[in-house]
Amino acid sequence: MIADKGELAPGLYLVAVPIGNARDITLRALDVLRGADVLAAEDTRSLRRLMEIHGIALGDRPCLPYHDHNGDRMRPKLLEALAAGRSVAYASEAGTPMISDPGFDLARSARDEGHIVTTAPGVSAAVTALTLGGLPTDRFFFAGFLPNSGGPRRRALEDLRDMPATLVFYESPKRLGAMLADAADRLGHDRPATVCRELTKRFEEARNGSLAELAAHYDAHPPKGEIVVLVGKGNLEKISESDVDRSLTEALETMSVRDAADAVSGMLGVKRRPVYQRAMALAKARNSDG
């Protein structure tokens, strides 16, 4: 949507920006940043630095912050600019807008009001990690950020246990060890995984291993930088109810209901919740017989 004179046609432009290396930006993205009437960014300082690196002058154009904390206040201003026939370029802090950033509400509102919405595509941390991670890419499921606290995080992981695809997570370095430990517990200790760190930067790393191995490594060596976690499909073969009952019966000889459910769900690679419910039923039946 670039006019004959090189000017941008009115509309909202979603601009993908680098996740690390500043040279990982497309020529079209630079054209949009150079030609837009209004600039908006999740982090205006990052966008200004990127433009300086590539020799793009901001001039007297507004560069407005648009993020989770001010979206309700800033979105009407950006929509007003679109209604006035101006071109608005929005960039997330890093990577592709709409992928774990606040651009969704802006793009949806712009469409709802009849404005053209287009994109200058480019880097995405999730796709970059998949290219380096060494896990199957024929099917993948982007799960974004998991809940911060342990209980909700474990439940979210359990819901993904049987997904027949490589799982893709974004994670904070401070929570990586706990997340991997919970993933090992809920998805299977031996399930293959890759931790991708500092992608496209100087200390780029893609470490492969089982979830248990990676949990132990990052518990002992807390990481730094931006992180993407990939988890392989694992063993998705069908487990029969009789297999579960047999394993639970043996486990209940020496374990509590809770510990037996944890052990059997991890061993068989099945969801914990139904295993726990079945363990309670078996324990109750055994006590009644006694």
Side-chain angles (χ1 to χ4, degrees), residues 97-258:
M98 315 295 283
I99 308 298
S100 287
D101 92 333
F104 178 78
D105 287 335
L106 175 60
R108 182 171 59 181
S109 297
R111 286 193 191 90
D112 289 345
E113 295 193 8
H115 303 299
I116 292 174
V117 178
T118 189
T119 181
V123 179
S124 165
V127 174
T128 303
L130 285 164
T131 65
L132 296 178
L135 294 175
T137 58
D138 55 326
R139 295 184 70 183
F140 58 89
F141 181 83
F142 177 69
F145 286 97
L146 288 165
N148 294 341
S149 54
R153 180 170 59 230
R154 287 188 287 273
R155 287 192 291 274
L157 285 164
E158 191 166 316
D159 289 340
L160 297 170
R161 179 195 292 275
D162 297 328
M163 182 70 66
T166 295
L167 304 176
V168 184
F169 302 96
Y170 288 168
E171 192 50 87
S172 158
K174 295 180 180 179
R175 294 192 300 267
L176 179 63
M179 178 268 181
L180 290 169
D182 285 342
D185 180 58
R186 290 296 185 258
L187 304 180
H189 289 77
D190 295 329
R191 193 152 171 174
T194 304
V195 173
C196 298
R197 188 179 66 83
E198 291 292 84
L199 291 169
T200 77
K201 300 178 184 178
R202 180 180 178 184
F203 297 107
E204 177 180 273
E205 175 185 53
R207 179 177 290 273
N208 302 95
S210 69
L211 281 170
E213 291 168 343
L214 292 171
H217 173 80
Y218 287 106
D219 181 61
H221 304 89
K224 295 181 179 180
E226 302 295 325
I227 291 168
V228 182
V229 178
L230 307 178
V231 180
K233 297 178 182 179
N235 182 7
L236 300 178
E237 61 184 55
K238 189 71 174 178
I239 303 297
S240 67
E241 290 184 6
S242 61
D243 291 332
V244 174
D245 282 0
R246 183 167 52 253
S247 298
L248 281 173
T249 299
E250 294 176 0
L252 287 168
E253 294 294 332
T254 57
M255 299 180 186
S256 67
V257 169
R258 185 180 299 276

